[in-house]
């Protein structure tokens, strides 16, 4: 699977996730096909919960793309500046749609800077870079600097450091790392005994759902894939553009 294919999958997954945020699937289908239903149709709720997993594919692929992009970029400064510019452009549309700040492009930028910091530190002294990167992860998690907080920075580091690992070894790592990163949700689930289907679904969708995106990266074949004029900027422009469109629609509704 080429890099172009991976990012296309991520883009469509993100679009699905954000579109169903504005138009929840069960409510939309109910309005179209069962407008006179007195109660929610159970089959539609089940369909929505099943398709919620589609939207969890995107984030891990975007995080992987930063690790991969850092490894292959010819101009780190230009790469970081591009992320910064589009993160700033996306911030108002992100707030318009979700009502809070810290869009994922800021997370991607911080992850990219953390990779550079880690490599710089390790060049200065063995192990220093890992300590600095761990400090960034802890700070990002504590201060909730952007979407995904510190765990997304950790995932970028994991993608970068395990690039040469065999797939089986990567899979074992992520089967441990992804649920562990949602320790707060898992702790709340068991400590407050939230043993209902709704809460179990929320636990699975957040602790296990992103593993679908991680698994997609295992099929990356190292090829860039299809290219076209301006294609480099498609992914960057699409993010703030679709957030703005959906945000305006939601405000209008």
């Amino acid at each position: 699977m080429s890099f172009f294919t991976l990012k296309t999958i991520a883009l469509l997954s993100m679009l699905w996730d954000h579109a169903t945020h504005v138009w929840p699937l069960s409510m939309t289908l109910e309005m179209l096909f069962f407008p006179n239903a007195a109660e929610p149709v159970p089959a539609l709720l089940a369909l929505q919960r099943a398709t919620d997993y589609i939207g969890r594919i995107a984030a891990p692929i975007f995080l992987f793309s930063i690790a991969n992009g850092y490894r292959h970029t010819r101009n780190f400064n230009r790469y970081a500046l591009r992320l910064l510019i589009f993160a700033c452009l996306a911030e108002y549309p992100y707030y318009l749609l979700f009502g809070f700040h810290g869009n994922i492009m800021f997370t991607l930028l911080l992850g990219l800077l953390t990779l550079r910091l880690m490599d710089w530190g390790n060049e200065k002294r063995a192990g220093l870079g890992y300590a600095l990167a761990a400090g960034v992860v802890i700070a990002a998690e504590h201060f909730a600097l952007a979407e995904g907080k510190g765990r997304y920075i950790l995932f970028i580091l994991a993608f970068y450091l395990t690039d040469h690992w065999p797939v089986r070894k990567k899979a074992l790592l992520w089967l441990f790392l992804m649920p562990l990163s949602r320790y707060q949700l898992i702790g709340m689930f068991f400590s407050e005994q939230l043993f209902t289907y709704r809460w179990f679904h929320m636990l699975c969708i957040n602790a296990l759902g992103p593993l679908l995106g991680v698994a997609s990266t295992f099929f990356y074949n190292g090829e860039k894939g299809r290219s076209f004029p301006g294609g480099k900027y498609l992914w960057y422009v699409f993010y703030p553009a679709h957030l703005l469109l959906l945000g305006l629609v939601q405000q209008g509704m």
Side-chain angles (χ1 to χ4, degrees):
M1 188 181 298
S2 70
F3 196 48
F4 176 86
T5 302
L6 267 179
K7 295 190 76 169
T8 301
I9 291 172
L11 185 149
L12 294 174
S13 167
M14 177 179 66
L15 180 60
W16 172 269
D17 189 49
H18 294 167
T20 53
H21 173 80
V22 178
W23 298 289
L25 183 62
S26 62
M27 292 178 59
T28 302
L29 293 177
E30 189 173 297
M31 290 175 61
L32 290 174
F33 301 107
F34 305 96
N36 298 319
E39 297 180 356
V41 180
L44 296 182
L45 290 175
L47 178 62
Q48 175 173 311
R49 286 168 177 159
T51 55
D52 282 344
Y53 288 90
I54 296 174
R56 293 301 181 270
I57 296 173
I61 296 178
F62 286 128
L63 301 176
F64 168 81
S65 72
I66 291 297
N68 190 64
Y70 173 70
R71 186 176 292 104
H72 295 101
T73 186
R74 297 178 180 177
N75 190 320
F76 175 85
N77 292 336
R78 187 177 297 174
Y79 188 17
L81 180 61
R82 187 162 59 243
L83 282 170
L84 175 61
I85 290 173
F86 282 95
C88 293
L89 289 175
E91 189 59 13
Y92 174 71
Y94 184 82
Y95 178 79
L96 188 67
L97 182 59
F98 296 112
F100 48 87
H101 292 286
N103 72 80
I104 196 172
M105 294 198 76
F106 282 116
T107 311
L108 301 180
L109 173 61
L110 183 57
L112 181 70
L113 296 175
T114 304
L115 291 176
R116 171 54 68 90
L117 178 66
M118 181 181 68
D119 283 347
W120 174 86
N122 285 336
E123 290 173 1
K124 296 295 182 182
R125 184 176 180 181
L128 175 61
Y130 299 129
L132 293 173
V136 174
V137 170
I138 293 170
E141 184 69 21
H142 178 73
F143 293 106
L145 298 176
E147 184 177 333
K149 300 189 286 187
R151 65 178 177 272
Y152 275 12
I153 309 300
L154 177 62
F155 293 167
I156 291 173
L157 292 168
F159 278 124
Y160 181 71
L161 294 172
T162 64
D163 176 66
H164 60 288
W165 286 16
V167 170
R168 181 178 299 180
K169 190 176 179 181
K170 289 181 184 178
L172 289 174
L173 171 69
W174 285 102
L175 284 172
F176 169 78
L177 183 61
M178 187 64 72
L180 179 65
S181 71
R182 303 314 300 254
Y183 67 92
Q184 291 178 321
L185 179 61
I186 294 173
M188 182 176 67
F189 180 78
F190 286 102
S191 64
E192 299 185 18
Q193 298 185 359
L194 303 171
F195 304 139
T196 64
Y197 180 77
R198 174 176 172 271
W199 276 98
F200 181 70
H201 171 70
M202 183 179 293
L203 178 65
C204 289
I205 200 70
N206 287 287
L208 300 178
L211 289 173
L212 295 172
V214 173
S216 299
T217 67
F218 296 163
F219 296 94
Y220 174 54
N221 59 15
E223 300 293 331
K224 185 178 180 180
R226 183 180 303 178
S227 62
F228 49 89
K232 178 190 295 186
Y233 293 94
L234 170 63
W235 325 105
Y236 295 96
V237 172
F238 182 84
Y239 184 67
H242 91 282
L243 289 178
L244 180 60
L245 179 60
L246 291 174
L248 291 173
V249 170
Q250 180 173 260
Q251 295 298 315
M253 293 170 60

